[in-house]
Amino acid sequence: RVWASIRPNSAIYNLLLSDIVLVAAVSHPTGRILAHLTLNPVHLNSKRILHGAVSGTLCDWAGGMAIAASIAGDELKEGEKEGERKMTTGVSTDMHLSYCSTAREGDTLEVEAWVSRRGSHTKYLPFGQKRE
């Protein structure tokens, strides 16, 4: 539900993540998502390998989806009805990426993110992406 509402309003997500497949999203014991993205020419840099900006975009997107999955598992507040909960993804304020390998056109990336700690304003999310 969250991805469907965000996607039409984001040019960068529409460009880079139009083919992403959200395989799973679970709320308990913590928000966690798993997605697959098969790389196309739009995802590659001039050396024809995965562009770092795509990895950053995936990290940002997956973190937001994991936060939304975590919120979906919260108990309803008094007077709140199922389906009325405001689903949100948060805002990325600090991301650290380490590049250990590369991927090429046709490779499928497995993207996973989960909420490791959630405060009232700040969430901490490990993130991983690898070639399948």
Side-chain angles (χ1 to χ4, degrees):
R1 176 175 116 191
V2 173
W3 178 225
S5 69
I6 292 172
R7 189 173 171 178
N9 300 317
S10 175
I12 194 73
Y13 286 165
N14 278 320
L15 175 67
L16 297 178
L17 304 181
S18 62
D19 296 331
I20 200 159
V21 176
L22 188 57
V23 176
V26 295
S27 55
H28 288 293
T30 180
R32 188 179 207 98
I33 67 102
L34 178 67
H36 292 163
L37 177 67
T38 300
L39 299 181
N40 296 311
V42 71
H43 302 119
L44 309 178
N45 64 19
S46 61
K47 294 179 176 61
R48 311 305 298 156
I49 58 176
L50 178 63
H51 197 292
V54 175
S55 291
T57 301
L58 282 167
C59 179
D60 179 65
W61 174 83
M65 293 299 106
I67 289 170
S70 175
I71 291 169
D74 289 350
E75 290 186 20
L76 292 174
K77 296 177 182 159
E78 189 173 326
E80 187 178 38
K81 295 181 180 142
E82 196 63 46
E84 291 179 349
R85 173 175 294 145
K86 182 180 177 190
M87 300 302 292
T88 183
T89 59
V91 175
S92 297
T93 58
D94 190 18
M95 297 189 319
H96 297 267
L97 282 75
S98 296
Y99 300 94
C100 302
S101 185
T102 189
R104 302 186 182 284
E105 184 176 354
D107 287 344
T108 298
L109 299 181
E110 181 178 89
V111 179
E112 185 175 19
W114 59 97
V115 177
S116 66
R117 191 171 66 199
R118 186 175 137 194
S120 59
H121 297 289
T122 305
K123 285 73 173 162
Y124 300 88
L125 300 115
F127 163 84
Q129 82 183 29
K130 64 181 179 182
R131 269 190 320 241
E132 279 199 317

